Amino acid sequence: DSGVTQTPKHLITATGQRVTLRCSPRSGDLSVYWYQQSLDQGLQFLIQYYNGEERAKGNILERFSAQQFPDLHSELNLSSLELGDSALYFCASAFSPLGGEQYFGPGTRLTVT
Amino acid sequence: DAKTTQPPSMDCAEGRAANLPCNHSTISGNEYVYWYRQIHSQGPQYIIHGLKNNETNEMASLIITEDRKSSTLILPHATLRDTAVYYCIVRVGNQGGKLIFGQGTELSVKP
C-alpha cells in the first residue's frame, strides 16, 4: 500500500460525457502527478501540481484539466470524452516537487463506450 | 533526459537472482538512474535509484558501471510476486518531477 488513494476504481461512461477522478496523496506529500496508461501509448505524464500550483505539464489534452485543493487532494477532470480516452489513470505523490521518488496510487480504470 | 534501452522480456527461476540490464549510453553527469516496476495493471512502484555508487535497499541492488553507461537491477531471490514490468528511467535529479517511462522489461519468474 503506497498511501496514495484514488477513487473511483472503475468508471464506465459514454462518449461526450465528463468525469472527475480523485486522488489523495500520501500524508505529508505536497506534489501530485497524473499519468495516463493506455495500451498503445504506455505510461504518459499528464500534469503535476505542487502545493496547489501547477508545476509541469505533459501531453495533456485541452479537454482535460486538473487542480489541487488546499487539503492537497487533486482532481483530474476529463470532458467531451472519446473512445480513445479509455485508459488507466494513475496519480502519484511525492514530498519534493523535483524528486524522482514517486508513490503511485492503484489507478482508476476509465472505459468510454 | 537520457534514453534507456532494456530487453523487452526476461525469465528467471524462482529463488534465483534476477539481473535486469539497462543501457543509458548518453547519460549526463547529473542524471540519476531510477528503477520502478509495475505488477499487472497496478500502480508503478518505486524500487531504487542511484547516481554513481552501487545502491542496495530491502527490495533490490543497483549496480552502475564506472562509466555510468549501463546499470543492472538485481533482485537477489526472485519470487513469483516479482513478476512485473521493470522500468529503468534516467533523469536529472533536481529538474522537474515527471517520470518518462519507456517500454520496460517484462520479467517472468517461474516456479
Side-chain angles (χ1 to χ4, degrees), chain B residues 68-86:
Chain B
R68 305 211 318 123
K69 292 185 177 183
S70 66
S71 60
T72 302
L73 179 75
I74 302 172
L75 308 178
H77 305 287
T79 71
L80 299 179
R81 289 183 297 178
D82 292 321
T83 292
V85 177
Y86 288 77

Side-chain angles (χ1 to χ4, degrees), chain A residues 29-77:
Chain A
D29 284 354
L30 302 177
S31 216
V32 169
Y33 309 79
W34 286 97
Y35 293 83
Q36 178 192 57
Q37 186 173 32
S38 58
L39 281 174
D40 55 345
Q41 294 288 322
L43 266 162
Q44 301 277 321
F45 167 74
L46 294 178
I47 197 164
Q48 176 196 1
Y49 279 82
Y50 176 73
N51 204 19
E53 301 281 328
E54 183 183 303
R55 180 87 182 192
K57 245 181 180 177
N59 296 325
I60 187 167
L61 299 172
E62 285 191 13
R63 301 184 284 108
F64 296 2
S65 65
Q67 54 184 345
Q68 186 180 26
F69 295 86
D71 67 352
L72 301 177
H73 91 271
S74 178
E75 292 181 355
L76 179 67
N77 300 297

Side-chain angles (χ1 to χ4, degrees), chain B residues 2-81:
Chain B
K3 182 179 170 63
T4 61
T5 304
Q6 299 178 252
S9 64
M10 291 182 65
D11 289 342
C12 178
E14 189 178 18
R16 303 298 293 269
N19 297 285
L20 294 103
C22 179
N23 285 321
H24 31 79
S25 58
T26 60
I27 193 169
S28 300
N30 61 348
E31 288 182 312
Y32 288 71
V33 180
Y34 285 82
W35 284 84
Y36 280 77
R37 74 179 181 184
Q38 185 176 25
I39 297 169
H40 181 63
S41 293
Q42 295 182 22
Q45 179 186 22
Y46 165 80
I47 301 173
I48 199 168
H49 75 279
L51 180 63
K52 293 182 185 178
N53 300 320
N54 299 337
E55 302 286 345
T56 296
N57 63 20
E58 65 280 2
M59 286 184 69
S61 295
L62 173 60
I63 309 296
I64 303 174
T65 58
E66 194 166 338
D67 64 7
R68 305 211 318 123
K69 292 185 177 183
S70 66
S71 60
T72 302
L73 179 75
I74 302 172
L75 308 178
H77 305 287
T79 71
L80 299 179
R81 289 183 297 178

Side-chain angles (χ1 to χ4, degrees), chain B residues 93-111:
Chain B
N94 62 350
Q95 185 189 65
K98 69 177 179 182
L99 297 171
I100 300 175
F101 289 86
Q103 297 306 306
T105 295
E106 188 166 2
L107 175 69
S108 295
V109 181
K110 299 181 185 298

